[in-house]
Amino acid sequence: MNVLFIEPAFPANQREFVRALASIGANVLGIGERPYDWINDETKGWLGGYQQIASVTDEGALEWAVREAQSRMWIDRLEATVEAHILPAAHVRERCTIPGISARTAYLCRDKVAMKEVLRRAGCRLRPQPPYRAQQRRAALPKLLATR
């Protein structure tokens, strides 16, 4: 399985996803903003390739990198774990016909108000929201500050 993984080295915990994929036999190819030389040797050992682009949230640049990889091999997955990368990855995944989470699903996972509206329209009963507590906290703030 060939997996394109967005930002395999930043933040530092990303390398654990790369390690896990490689440990089960995936050929992991990275796409990221950092120069390849900045990636530590252990992570490099888990990568089957790497493409640097200016910004992984620039969908045009991301799509170019994905299509470059697709011109060399079949790509089974395009994965991202950083929240800011999820929606660009979903858009590019759809344009490049790579299976995975759709842009609509990615959007709904990030926008809780929209997600709840979709669930309500589908007939799901959601727990009523508690009273707006920020107002209560703001009202209590002067008293709290006076005691310190």
Side-chain angles (χ1 to χ4, degrees), residues 58-100:
D58 175 343
E59 291 181 18
L62 185 58
E63 183 176 348
W64 171 84
V66 169
R67 291 196 186 278
E68 268 299 299
Q70 285 179 314
S71 73
R72 294 189 307 274
M73 68 187 76
W74 177 261
I75 300 299
D76 297 288
R77 293 287 187 267
L78 171 62
E79 297 299 333
T81 59
V82 173
E83 186 173 1
H85 306 160
I86 299 292
L87 202 51
H91 287 143
V92 170
R93 191 181 297 117
E94 287 182 351
R95 289 197 296 267
C96 295
T97 64
I98 298 171

Side-chain angles (χ1 to χ4, degrees), residues 5 13 19 25 32 42 44 51 69 71 74 77 80 88 96 98-99 101-102 120 129 137 143-144 146:
F5 193 89
N13 68 323
R19 179 194 55 75
E42 192 171 34
K44 285 179 185 175
Q51 179 66 58
S71 73
W74 177 261
R77 293 287 187 267
C96 295
I98 298 171
I101 296 172
S102 70
R120 282 187 191 98
Q129 295 298 305
R137 288 187 191 123
K143 183 179 177 183
L144 178 68

Side-chain angles (χ1 to χ4, degrees), residues 15-34:
R15 59 193 297 278
E16 295 304 319
F17 293 101
V18 175
R19 179 194 55 75
L21 286 165
S23 76
I24 60 169
N27 178 34
V28 185
L29 305 145
I31 299 173
E33 298 171 4
R34 279 117 199 92

Side-chain angles (χ1 to χ4, degrees), residues 113-128:
V113 173
M115 179 193 341
K116 288 176 183 178
E117 182 58 30
V118 168
L119 291 170
R120 282 187 191 98
R121 287 182 184 171
C124 295
R125 293 183 341 159
L126 303 177
R127 192 177 93 175

